[in-house]
Amino acid sequence: MLIALFPMLIILGKVVRWTVMRGTLINYSKGWGLVEPIMQGDWNWQFFGLEEVTEGNIGQGDNVITFFKALWTTIWMKLPATFEEFEIFITVTFGILFVLVLLGMRRRLPLVEAVCICLACGVMSVYCLCLSKEPFQMVFFLLMYAVLHSDLIPERQKLYWGYGVVLLSACCFRTYYTLILVFAIACQWYLGRMRRRARPRRQLGSAPMRWTSIAQLYLLAVVVYFAMMAVFSVANGQLYDRFQDTLLYASEASGSSNTYIENALSINEDNPNILSVTAEYALVILRLLFPVELVGNGPKYWPYIIYQLCMTVFLLRGLRNCRTNTRAQNAALIIFLGYVFASAAFEVDFGSWVRHCAVTTPVVLVLSGICPTAHSRATEGERLVEQASQAEMLTVG
């Protein structure tokens, strides 16, 4: 049913994009300036390193243009020639790829999960399926989905293959994605520790993770950020300044937007200290996951608030069930946690966060169990057989 609804959801999203959101998403889109470089520009592919991070110039523009140029010359046969035509071709191409992901869904979904998928389709149509950097970003998460969902990669290795995809995206899209690895490894250590602690107490081995443990994981991310900033302040002043400036001067970075993330704390901008910057970072995480402050911006933002809350519910549910999740689910959970904690250090706008979060949908579908792997389906089948066997034994007895 959802797959049958998908084209209508995409069309509805396009209607919203070109009417209600036209003023911000179309008129000021950077995609207008990409058309000529794609059609007339040279091929230019770069791999990035620390220099791009410290200087604040990650060079993603050239790679995004080269990516679209490759699609334009091969798959699209040089047919699109205008901004509008490129959007049509991008929508069709990536819409087909996302349908392939949806074909891996469970046959029956609860209402909340179905609503979240519908909202994700709409958000992608509005923000991501267009001539911008999001389709290029989506490629890496589709590749990550293929890794997590593949039957060819052993379950124990999927997390590390996922790390490899993150590293690849850091080398040719966003260098600060290396932060995802930093936070993900910290989360992997913590969740592994929680599972080991539960193992000796078999009666608690499948119990949900406590909310206090989830709070500890959140505090761990804050401590990691503080430690990272402390190291940068001593070892690399340029990198420290970039992290600090991005987090503290959001309103200046996106003054034309009414969804920018203003600082919640009163911080001495002339001489901020690491503790105050870290405290601001801790609040940004919560504000991204629970963007209720956007309610006052009007009804057109409410679907995005609901969408983000659904994604947050999936994240919290995955954490609560980390002891009973499959390895693929926990791999997706760890990578998504790393993505959230890393994004909080750089996101300056709620709108940017929503569209960046939307491209992670394939990974979230694995995390939530909506797109189960072959191993998880086999595990579920074994569980049902065991329950049936136990019921039969009870009946015989």
Side-chain angles (χ1 to χ4, degrees):
M1 179 64 72
L2 282 175
I3 296 176
L5 285 174
F6 183 74
M8 290 182 282
L9 293 170
I10 294 298
I11 293 173
L12 178 61
K14 290 301 175 186
V15 171
V16 172
R17 173 177 168 81
W18 284 83
T19 55
V20 179
M21 306 296 290
R22 184 186 181 98
T24 54
L25 299 183
I26 303 297
N27 295 344
Y28 294 99
S29 173
K30 295 180 180 179
W32 295 100
L34 297 180
V35 175
E36 184 175 351
I38 292 171
M39 299 171 62
Q40 307 295 336
D42 297 327
W43 296 84
N44 187 9
W45 188 267
Q46 302 179 49
F47 288 97
F48 315 127
L50 182 61
E51 182 179 354
E52 285 80 12
V53 179
T54 56
E55 293 180 356
N57 177 20
I58 60 177
Q60 60 173 310
D62 290 334
N63 286 0
V64 171
I65 292 171
T66 300
F67 166 73
F68 281 123
K69 190 175 185 68
L71 291 178
W72 183 67
T73 57
T74 56
I75 297 176
W76 298 339
M77 304 299 291
K78 296 187 178 181
L79 290 176
T82 64
F83 176 82
E84 294 82 0
E85 290 174 356
F86 269 102
E87 180 154 334
I88 293 172
F89 275 78
I90 290 169
T91 301
V92 172
T93 302
F94 284 87
I96 292 173
L97 291 175
F98 195 70
V99 166
L100 295 178
V101 172
L102 295 181
L103 288 174
M105 292 190 305
R106 298 194 313 266
R107 297 305 176 193
R108 296 178 181 273
L109 297 177
L111 180 61
V112 173
E113 293 181 351
V115 169
C116 184
I117 294 175
C118 289
L119 288 172
C121 294
V123 169
M124 281 195 300
S125 178
V126 173
Y127 282 115
C128 304
L129 303 183
C130 56
L131 190 55
S132 64
K133 60 183 178 293
E134 275 69 41
F136 185 46
Q137 184 182 13
M138 196 180 301
V139 167
F140 296 103
F141 286 95
L142 288 170
L143 181 58
M144 203 173 298
Y145 170 83
V147 166
L148 296 172
H149 201 260
S150 173
D151 300 337
L152 302 177
I153 300 176
E155 292 285 311
R156 291 178 176 271
Q157 298 179 15
K158 287 186 175 181
L159 177 59
Y160 301 104
W161 280 73
Y163 285 169
V165 176
V166 173
L167 188 59
L168 176 64
S169 65
C171 290
C172 43
F173 180 58
R174 295 183 186 276
T175 46
Y176 67 80
Y177 272 19
T178 51
L179 288 182
I180 298 177
L181 294 179
V182 174
F183 286 106
I185 290 171
C187 293
Q188 179 187 2
W189 169 81
Y190 181 80
L191 294 178
R193 179 171 171 268
M194 293 300 299
R195 290 174 69 92
R196 286 191 297 272
R197 285 179 58 187
R199 195 171 297 163
R201 299 174 290 173
R202 293 188 177 182
Q203 70 277 15
L204 297 179
S206 60
M209 178 185 281
R210 296 178 179 178
W211 291 107
T212 53
S213 298
I214 295 176
Q216 289 173 6
L217 178 63
Y218 162 72
L219 292 176
L220 173 64
V222 175
V223 170
V224 169
Y225 181 86
F226 174 81
M228 180 180 65
M229 293 293 284
V231 171
F232 288 162
S233 66
V234 176
N236 194 319
Q238 284 182 295
L239 201 54
Y240 174 80
D241 290 341
R242 186 177 180 215
F243 273 73
Q244 171 189 281
D245 294 350
T246 301
L247 191 68
L248 295 184
Y249 308 136
S251 58
E252 296 178 12
S254 52
S256 62
S257 171
N258 61 349
T259 58
Y260 60 79
I261 304 175
E262 296 186 29
N263 297 334
L265 302 178
S266 177
I267 297 176
N268 183 358
E269 296 185 355
D270 295 328
N271 187 29
N273 59 64
I274 298 176
L275 280 175
S276 61
V277 174
T278 302
E280 185 68 42
Y281 167 78
L283 292 176
V284 169
I285 296 174
L286 297 177
R287 294 168 72 186
L288 290 178
L289 294 177
F290 303 96
V292 291
E293 60 194 89
L294 291 179
V295 171
N297 284 20
K300 70 178 181 180
Y301 292 98
W302 295 352
Y304 305 112
I305 297 172
I306 297 172
Y307 160 76
Q308 180 55 58
L309 292 177
C310 286
M311 299 289 274
T312 302
V313 167
F314 285 159
L315 175 61
L316 294 177
R317 190 177 67 179
L319 279 169
R320 292 273 289 169
N321 298 334
C322 71
R323 291 168 179 158
T324 55
N325 287 341
T326 65
R327 289 182 181 273
Q329 282 181 283
N330 278 337
L333 171 65
I334 289 168
I335 291 171
F336 186 65
L337 279 169
Y339 184 82
V340 171
F341 293 144
S343 296
F346 278 89
E347 288 296 347
V348 299
D349 188 277
F350 284 110
S352 298
W353 164 245
V354 166
R355 66 173 179 264
H356 293 164
C357 189
V359 302
T360 68
T361 298
V363 173
V364 175
L365 293 180
V366 176
L367 182 165
S368 62
I370 293 175
C371 287
T373 63
H375 176 78
S376 63
R377 289 192 294 269
T379 303
E380 179 68 10
E382 292 170 3
R383 185 181 67 81
L384 294 175
V385 169
E386 182 180 354
Q387 289 179 348
S389 176
Q390 290 175 352
E392 183 178 352
M393 290 174 63
L394 290 173
T395 302
V396 173

